Amino acid sequence: MTRPLPLPADLPAEADDSPPPVRVSWPERAPQVDARALPADEGAALFVQVWQREPHVLPLADDELQRLAAWPQVVEVPGGRTLIRQDEFGDYLLIVLEGVLLVERTVPGSKPMRLAEARTGDMLGEMSLLDSGSRFSLVTTVGTCRIAVLQAEPFHRLMQEEPRIALALMAALSRRLSLRVRQLSARLGALLSPA
């Protein structure tokens, strides 16, 4: 008879001297990274331009796309700023509109591992926005970046007030997550396959 794997609650607790994770909202993080809000019309135009270039999003009518563009805040952030810290709890999603973000993961006792470079159209932080869990990686601006930031509270209101538009955003998030799972599965398959 196969024994089930222990659930996290069944595992023995390890001694951990690190401080507990903290919840960081975008209004707290924005001044720390010198984020400068773009004028609403300029930010919305940039968001629309990026959305329309993406092949894997549900098409929206022009008026719907303009309404979607009004929900996130579009900001410009200088290079070398940490937008997301590993293991913290966050309440916001980032969409890269211009520039490059470095995505890294730190493992105790080793140097940070580069996981990806996020570029125009990429979304980051969606898992924490959806499940309120801790952040998986560290995200830093490589140079000056323009980013759309969607916080949890406006995201929830969007789902209530504009369900069709929220569905398009959720479909985009789902496709991104699916792609990441497929990439992870391919890497895991390569690691597990006999040499």
Side-chain angles (χ1 to χ4, degrees):
M1 181 175 198
T2 306
R3 291 183 58 199
L5 292 173
L7 297 173
D10 299 332
L11 297 175
E14 295 180 16
D16 186 3
D17 295 335
S18 60
V22 294
R23 181 165 300 281
V24 178
S25 67
W26 178 249
E28 292 172 272
R29 179 61 38 87
Q32 296 171 2
V33 298
D34 300 318
R36 180 184 65 86
L38 269 60
D41 57 341
E42 183 181 345
L46 186 56
F47 181 91
V48 166
Q49 179 184 21
V50 169
W51 184 273
Q52 289 175 326
R53 284 195 311 220
E54 283 296 304
H56 303 295
V57 296
L58 291 177
L60 291 172
D62 288 344
D63 66 314
E64 292 174 319
L65 189 47
Q66 290 297 328
R67 293 200 315 270
L68 173 58
W71 287 90
Q73 179 187 25
V74 178
V75 297
E76 185 173 87
V77 180
R81 303 303 196 274
T82 299
L83 301 176
I84 292 175
R85 293 189 186 282
Q86 181 178 314
D87 297 327
E88 72 185 7
F89 290 90
D91 72 341
Y92 55 91
L93 157 79
L94 306 175
I95 303 171
V96 184
L97 302 180
E98 288 180 356
V100 178
L101 301 178
L102 184 61
V103 183
E104 297 178 303
R105 174 118 179 122
T106 303
V107 176
S110 66
K111 293 166 56 172
M113 294 181 294
R114 180 179 293 194
L115 302 178
E117 287 185 358
R119 298 179 183 275
T120 301
D122 288 337
M123 299 180 186
L124 302 162
E126 70 280 8
M127 290 191 302
S128 292
L129 184 71
L130 295 172
D131 67 9
S132 300
S134 62
R135 304 287 199 183
F136 181 75
S137 55
L138 176 76
V139 177
T140 308
T141 56
V142 173
T144 299
C145 296
R146 289 184 168 187
I147 300 158
V149 182
L150 182 59
Q151 297 175 71
E153 193 274 328
F155 177 66
H156 296 142
R157 280 195 295 118
L158 173 65
M159 289 191 290
Q160 292 173 344
E161 297 174 21
E162 298 271 14
R164 177 174 154 68
I165 294 172
L167 177 63
L169 180 59
M170 289 296 291
L173 291 174
S174 298
R175 286 190 175 109
R176 297 280 178 183
L177 287 171
S178 176
L179 177 60
R180 288 190 193 158
V181 169
R182 288 183 185 278
Q183 291 170 339
L184 180 60
S185 296
R187 288 180 185 172
L188 185 57
L191 286 173
L192 295 176
S193 64

